[in-house]
């Protein structure tokens, strides 16, 4: 067994013992949700896979899914509850929450931070607020809001059911009803959506994922994880029609979607002067992206720079809005994602990650 393989196995073993920080769990869930949205197949997430993603996020930032996490950890700045209340986006977020769930008016802000330029607090990519019930049963709610538009990007509601009978012990229809109610309160118009509910493969704790798709849309909706006494809700934008190339790599003869998020990059195709379909065909021959680039006299660093910049800019873009940050911060974000980019562009199909 090679030393790399030993390290890989060790990290997975350690990951299975880890308590993952909530912020990282959330980002992994979001990444997995977007992945599921593209696939819409009956894929289950084993504990081993989750453990691997957590290990990669914390210890060896190489997994594609973990890319946003490191950027998040590098650039998130803390805020006090008073700063949240004085902040324009913070105030708007709280007003929306109070209107949707009036009982949260009595909750206290126990944590807050923003993702953006640490040298300019007006350039926020995202604002995060955690509120908790004073005393009582420990009800808690976590919000992530677009730093420009004050649109609530995701929400996690915890401990709304009694401890002795947590959410996950309720019949499926009651769980769905609780989720429907939450979506309707926060975003409205739940009747416009169709929902598919499935249980994830997790022997230690029952977990459901619910996919809500707006009728007649190309994927617009919500994706929801229900685990323990917690509902994690995220709106999902329609899948761009141009994003149709999937499974650049394969494993055991089956499409491997792990790196698609990195390689579906128009700027990369332009740099390589290749179509997405042609790139997939070249990779299928056993070549890495680095080798394909080299055959066109394009350096590995050029490939890294293009993909890393796209990945960093994705963090700054939400819908039609984009946050402008300093060049230094952009470079930091690109540097943070670079190890993952290298991992992807050196990977060869039908090999282990």
């Amino acid at each position: 067994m090679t030393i790399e393989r030993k390290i890989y196995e060790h990290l997975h073993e350690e990951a299975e013992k880890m308590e993952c920080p909530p912020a990282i769990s959330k980002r992994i869930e979001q990444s997995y949700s977007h992945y599921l949205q593209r696939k819409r197949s009956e894929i289950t997430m084993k504990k081993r896979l989750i453990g691997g993603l957590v290990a990669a996020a914390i210890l060896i930032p190489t997994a594609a899914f973990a890319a946003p996490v490191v950027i998040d950890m590098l650039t998130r700045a803390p805020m006090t509850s008073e700063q949240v209340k004085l902040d324009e986006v913070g105030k708007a977020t709280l007003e929306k929450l109070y209107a949707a769930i009036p009982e949260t008016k009595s909750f206290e802000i126990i944590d807050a931070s923003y993702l953006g330029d640490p040298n300019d607090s007006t350039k926020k990519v995202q604002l995060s607020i955690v509120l908790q019930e004073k005393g009582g049963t420990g009800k808690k709610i976590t919000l992530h809001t677009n730093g420009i538009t004050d649109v609530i990007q995701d929400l996690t509601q915890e401990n709304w059911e009694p401890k002795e009978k947590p959410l996950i012990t309720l019949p499926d229809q009651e769980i769905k009803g609780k989720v429907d109610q939450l979506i309707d309160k926060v975003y409205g118009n739940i009747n416009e959506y169709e929902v598919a509910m499935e249980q994830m493969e997790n022997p230690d704790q029952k977990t459901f994922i619910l996919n809500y798709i707006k009728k007649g849309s190309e994927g617009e909706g919500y994706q929801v994880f229900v685990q323990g006494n917690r509902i994690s809700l995220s709106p999902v934008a329609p899948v761009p029609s141009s994003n149709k190339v999937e499974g650049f790599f394969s494993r055991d003869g089956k499409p491997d979607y792990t790196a698609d998020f990195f390689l579906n990059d128009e700027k990369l195709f332009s740099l390589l002067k290749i179509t997405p379909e042609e790139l997939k065909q070249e990779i299928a021959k056993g070549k890495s992206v680095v080798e394909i680039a080299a055959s066109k006299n394009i350096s590995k660093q050029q490939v890294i720079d293009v993909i890393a910049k796209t990945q960093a800019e994705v963090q700054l873009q939400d819908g039609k809005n984009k946050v402008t940050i300093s060049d230094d911060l952009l470079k930091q974000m690109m540097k943070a994602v670079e190890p993952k980019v290298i991992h992807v562009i050196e990977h060869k199909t039908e090999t282990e990650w």
Side-chain angles (χ1 to χ4, degrees), residues 82-181:
E82 289 306 312
Q83 286 174 320
V84 172
K85 292 171 184 175
L86 292 173
D87 182 84
E88 195 171 318
V89 173
K91 282 192 295 185
T93 301
L94 292 175
E95 286 172 5
K96 288 179 185 176
L97 175 64
Y98 297 156
I101 310 175
E103 69 178 290
T104 57
K105 287 180 182 177
S106 63
F107 287 19
E108 61 181 335
I109 298 173
I110 60 169
D111 191 22
S113 60
Y114 74 89
L115 176 65
D117 193 332
N119 299 315
D120 186 349
S121 63
T122 64
K123 293 179 178 177
K124 297 183 181 67
V125 178
Q126 184 189 74
L127 178 65
S128 301
I129 309 172
V130 184
L131 301 99
Q132 190 168 39
E133 181 184 29
K134 297 176 183 175
T137 58
K139 290 181 179 178
K140 187 161 76 173
I141 198 156
T142 302
L143 303 159
H144 291 97
T145 301
N146 184 302
I148 303 172
T149 63
D150 65 52
V151 170
I152 296 175
Q153 296 172 317
D154 61 73
L155 175 152
T156 298
Q157 178 181 283
E158 298 177 72
N159 304 326
W160 245 254
E161 301 301 316
K163 283 184 180 178
E164 57 273 18
K165 193 175 181 182
L167 185 67
I168 208 68
T169 63
L170 301 178
D172 293 0
Q173 281 305 310
E174 283 191 42
I175 294 174
K176 177 182 172 299
K178 300 282 183 183
V179 176
D180 285 356
Q181 190 178 41

Side-chain angles (χ1 to χ4, degrees), residues 37 40 212-214 216-223 235-239:
Q37 186 198 19
R40 301 240 171 72
Y212 288 78
I213 304 297
K214 190 172 185 178
S217 77
E218 295 184 355
E220 179 182 355
Y222 305 96
Q223 284 178 330
V236 177
V239 178

